[in-house]
Amino acid sequence: RYINLMSTMKLVVDEYKQLKRAFSGGFTHASVFFSGKVVEDITSVDFTSSYPAVMIAEQFPMSSSEEIEITSKEDFYHNLKYYCCLFDVHFEGLESTFLYENYISESHCFNKKGIITNNGRIVSADSIDLTITEQDFLIIMRTYKWKVLKVGNFRRYHKGYLPKDLIKAILRLYENKTTLKG
């Protein structure tokens, strides 16, 4: 069943390029408040099981994409809630509302005008375009405000949990890793 499911999930070239534009690595950079300083008496937490936990507990795109045109604000938010989404977004008058960190990476933006950055992250912009997922948008919505938002090249995917056999394999591999690690 898993092989049949995977064989139905096809990408077209434009979609692949859009997915590459949306890809973002880890959120790792120095805080503007501590960059270049020696800070003592700090602690950290290593979530060693974050990746496998997300892989078994969260839903992922489990279909080929469907290109749609967003017709209203309600339509946009409905899709974000019920589908995994991939889309291009244009912001005007973008400003961070979160003092300590900035989410949007300058390197992911195209058609940038009037940007101010913090260590490679957008603090404000007259206008930017970038490709994001619904997860990115939910974070941007909590950490920025804007005057204009335009959405295009909208693709949605049906959400679903990873196949049971894959989840079992993830759990088995994680158990092996932690057992061998001691």
Side-chain angles (χ1 to χ4, degrees), residues 71-136:
T71 58
S72 66
K73 187 176 183 179
E74 293 74 27
D75 184 33
F76 177 62
Y77 285 105
H78 171 84
N79 279 283
L80 295 182
K81 182 174 182 178
Y82 293 106
Y83 294 91
C84 291
C85 304
L86 173 71
F87 53 98
D88 295 337
V89 65
H90 172 81
F91 288 108
E92 292 178 19
L94 184 75
E95 292 181 44
S96 176
T97 59
F98 195 70
L99 178 63
Y100 302 106
E101 296 293 344
N102 307 106
Y103 181 73
I104 301 172
S105 178
E106 178 187 8
S107 65
H108 282 92
C109 300
F110 48 97
N111 300 327
K112 309 174 264 194
K113 291 182 184 156
I115 62 169
I116 297 173
T117 62
N118 159 20
N119 197 16
R121 302 289 177 147
I122 301 290
V123 175
S124 66
D126 292 341
S127 69
I128 58 169
D129 294 338
L130 68 156
T131 303
I132 59 175
T133 67
E134 84 284 357
Q135 297 300 318
D136 295 315

Side-chain angles (χ1 to χ4, degrees), residues 27-38:
F27 190 83
T28 57
H29 70 281
S31 166
V32 68
F33 298 108
F34 301 106
S35 181
K37 297 179 183 175
V38 175

